[in-house]
Amino acid sequence: MSSWTHPKEKINNVTEFIFWGLSQNPEVEEVCFVLFSFFYAVILLGNLTIMLTVCKGNLLKYPMYFFLNFLSFVDICFSSVIVPKMIVDLLAKNKTISYVGCMLQLFGGHFFGCTEIFILTVMAYDRYVAICKPLHYMTIMDREMCSKMLLGTWVGGFIHSIIQVALVVQLPFCGPNEIDHYFCDVHPVLKLACTDTYIVGVVVTANSGTISLGSFVILLFSYSVILVTLRKQSAEGRRKALSTCGSHIAVVIIFFGPCTFIYMRPDTTFSEDKMVAVFYTIITPMLNPLIYTLRNTEVKNAMKKLWGKKVFWTSGK
């Protein structure tokens, strides 16, 4: 057996990785460059608008908007870990990333991605308490409780991502160094390790899969209970609650569908993975502000008040 396969030795000849990117067709890459540059601008503008509206519109005192504010922040961070590099690479001849840069991107992607999963789960719990236990809502979801839950989402995201990176960093990479993807993710990187990665792959799948599937099941249960409870409410209360929960459910489906496809399977990669990953790295962060704004009357009213004042103040100068 050659020395580089020995489990106790870590020979790392790879100092950088080369991405294959979304496409090898220059014309397709140019179209993608324009398209994804626009998408990233919408992600930044939309989520920053939500954050400004919540902060300036005095909505932070309400738990739902407290979490929505941080969801928008996490969306910006999550997409910024991946999208700018991808956009630059679309016009680059050599799509390279250093070994350290790859590990940092892997950590950042899983840290913010997992934190988003936990925030969405916490938001579902918030809606459950608001609709199913309305008289005790402000007692249960007070500022201290919200802060603790938010801290828990960040700690959970950190623990998840540090496990993923620790599993990959200890592997030897001695070539080839070409990643069939547009960013560093666990499964494509594991394929390049020059050792048996079966056990690592199982642990990675268990780690990511448990979080994705577990959170998804909790979310489905929460919204199922909410929908059953709504049958007892008045038509107006039912309409308002459905409007709010509808936006949450839409975000959950768009985000968790692709995540479950990618991470709830053994250590294998498919050609469709890159296109599926576009949904949770670009499409979801872009649609979140639109979904929460279009389907939420309070956010729309706060926006009208806030931006209406600014337009009036500017025009009156």
Side-chain angles (χ1 to χ4, degrees), residues 10-36:
K10 181 178 183 293
I11 299 171
N12 210 343
N13 298 329
V14 174
T15 57
E16 66 177 19
F17 294 102
I18 300 169
F19 293 129
W20 283 13
L22 278 171
S23 173
Q24 280 75 52
N25 186 325
E27 293 179 359
V28 173
E29 286 186 321
E30 287 174 7
V31 172
C32 287
F33 174 82
V34 175
L35 194 63
F36 292 128

Side-chain angles (χ1 to χ4, degrees), residues 83-96:
V83 182
K85 170 66 177 166
M86 182 196 75
I87 291 170
V88 171
D89 282 347
L90 284 168
L91 296 185
K93 288 184 178 179
N94 298 316
K95 302 171 175 57
T96 60

Side-chain angles (χ1 to χ4, degrees), residues 141-159:
M141 298 299 292
D142 59 8
R143 179 47 65 93
E144 184 183 357
M145 182 63 171
C146 289
S147 299
K148 285 179 179 177
M149 291 173 85
L150 184 66
L151 178 62
T153 65
W154 289 106
V155 172
F158 180 80
I159 292 171

Side-chain angles (χ1 to χ4, degrees), residues 7 104 111 170:
L104 288 173
F111 175 53
Q170 50 88 32

Side-chain angles (χ1 to χ4, degrees), residues 4-12 17 99 103 106 162-174 186 189-190 192-204:
W4 56 262
T5 59
H6 198 283
K8 294 184 179 179
E9 289 187 25
K10 181 178 183 293
I11 299 171
N12 210 343
F17 294 102
Y99 175 84
M103 295 303 112
L106 195 155
I162 208 72
I163 290 171
Q164 301 292 75
V165 173
L167 289 168
V168 175
V169 164
Q170 50 88 32
L171 295 172
F173 294 93
C174 41
V186 181
V189 173
L190 284 181
L192 303 182
C194 45
T195 187
D196 183 13
T197 59
Y198 175 76
I199 294 174
V200 174
V202 169
V203 176
V204 163

Side-chain angles (χ1 to χ4, degrees), residues 13-316:
N13 298 329
V14 174
T15 57
E16 66 177 19
F17 294 102
I18 300 169
F19 293 129
W20 283 13
L22 278 171
S23 173
Q24 280 75 52
N25 186 325
E27 293 179 359
V28 173
E29 286 186 321
E30 287 174 7
V31 172
C32 287
F33 174 82
V34 175
L35 194 63
F36 292 128
S37 295
F38 171 73
F39 285 169
Y40 186 58
V42 172
I43 289 169
L44 295 178
L45 187 62
N47 284 290
L48 283 172
T49 301
I50 291 282
M51 291 172 68
L52 283 171
T53 302
V54 171
C55 293
K56 297 290 185 180
N58 201 26
L59 294 174
L60 271 177
K61 60 186 177 183
Y62 302 109
M64 186 173 80
Y65 301 108
F66 175 78
F67 293 120
L68 178 59
N69 180 58
F70 283 96
L71 178 67
S72 293
F73 174 72
V74 169
D75 272 335
I76 290 173
C77 295
F78 179 49
S79 57
S80 295
V81 168
I82 296 164
V83 182
K85 170 66 177 166
M86 182 196 75
I87 291 170
V88 171
D89 282 347
L90 284 168
L91 296 185
K93 288 184 178 179
N94 298 316
K95 302 171 175 57
T96 60
I97 187 170
S98 67
Y99 175 84
V100 174
C102 184
M103 295 303 112
L104 288 173
Q105 192 179 58
L106 195 155
F107 174 83
H110 279 266
F111 175 53
F112 292 115
C114 186
T115 301
E116 176 155 349
I117 285 174
F118 289 142
I119 289 178
L120 289 171
T121 307
V122 167
M123 289 175 79
Y125 176 74
D126 170 68
R127 290 300 83 205
Y128 164 76
V129 176
I131 293 167
C132 300
K133 301 180 180 180
L135 298 177
H136 305 285
Y137 178 61
M138 293 311 295
T139 306
I140 297 171
M141 298 299 292
D142 59 8
R143 179 47 65 93
E144 184 183 357
M145 182 63 171
C146 289
S147 299
K148 285 179 179 177
M149 291 173 85
L150 184 66
L151 178 62
T153 65
W154 289 106
V155 172
F158 180 80
I159 292 171
H160 161 75
S161 53
I162 208 72
I163 290 171
Q164 301 292 75
V165 173
L167 289 168
V168 175
V169 164
Q170 50 88 32
L171 295 172
F173 294 93
C174 41
N177 65 338
E178 295 183 356
I179 300 174
D180 185 13
H181 217 304
Y182 60 88
F183 70 98
C184 285
D185 202 3
V186 181
H187 291 314
V189 173
L190 284 181
K191 288 181 71 176
L192 303 182
C194 45
T195 187
D196 183 13
T197 59
Y198 175 76
I199 294 174
V200 174
V202 169
V203 176
V204 163
T205 301
N207 184 11
S208 299
T210 302
I211 290 170
S212 298
L213 187 62
S215 299
F216 192 46
V217 169
I218 292 169
L219 287 161
L220 287 177
F221 176 76
S222 298
Y223 288 121
S224 297
V225 173
I226 288 170
L227 291 173
V228 170
T229 306
L230 286 176
R231 293 165 60 189
K232 303 171 187 176
Q233 295 197 5
S234 64
E236 177 61 24
R238 192 158 56 239
R239 186 197 61 79
K240 188 176 179 182
L242 279 173
S243 177
T244 306
C245 289
S247 59
H248 288 217
I249 292 168
V251 168
V252 165
I253 291 170
I254 294 169
F255 188 75
F256 276 88
C259 280
T260 304
F261 175 80
I262 296 289
Y263 297 110
M264 268 303 296
R265 64 172 194 245
D267 182 25
T268 53
T269 55
F270 299 130
S271 57
E272 296 84 6
D273 286 358
K274 287 186 279 189
M275 292 312 300
V276 172
V278 167
F279 275 89
Y280 65 84
T281 58
I282 300 172
I283 304 300
T284 303
M286 182 180 69
L287 290 182
N288 277 359
L290 295 173
I291 291 170
Y292 281 110
T293 304
L294 293 174
R295 294 190 62 87
N296 195 301
T297 307
E298 286 168 332
V299 172
K300 282 193 283 189
N301 289 339
M303 277 185 173
K304 285 175 185 175
K305 286 180 184 177
L306 178 64
W307 302 109
K309 282 180 185 177
K310 291 197 177 293
V311 170
F312 177 77
W313 183 77
T314 306
S315 60

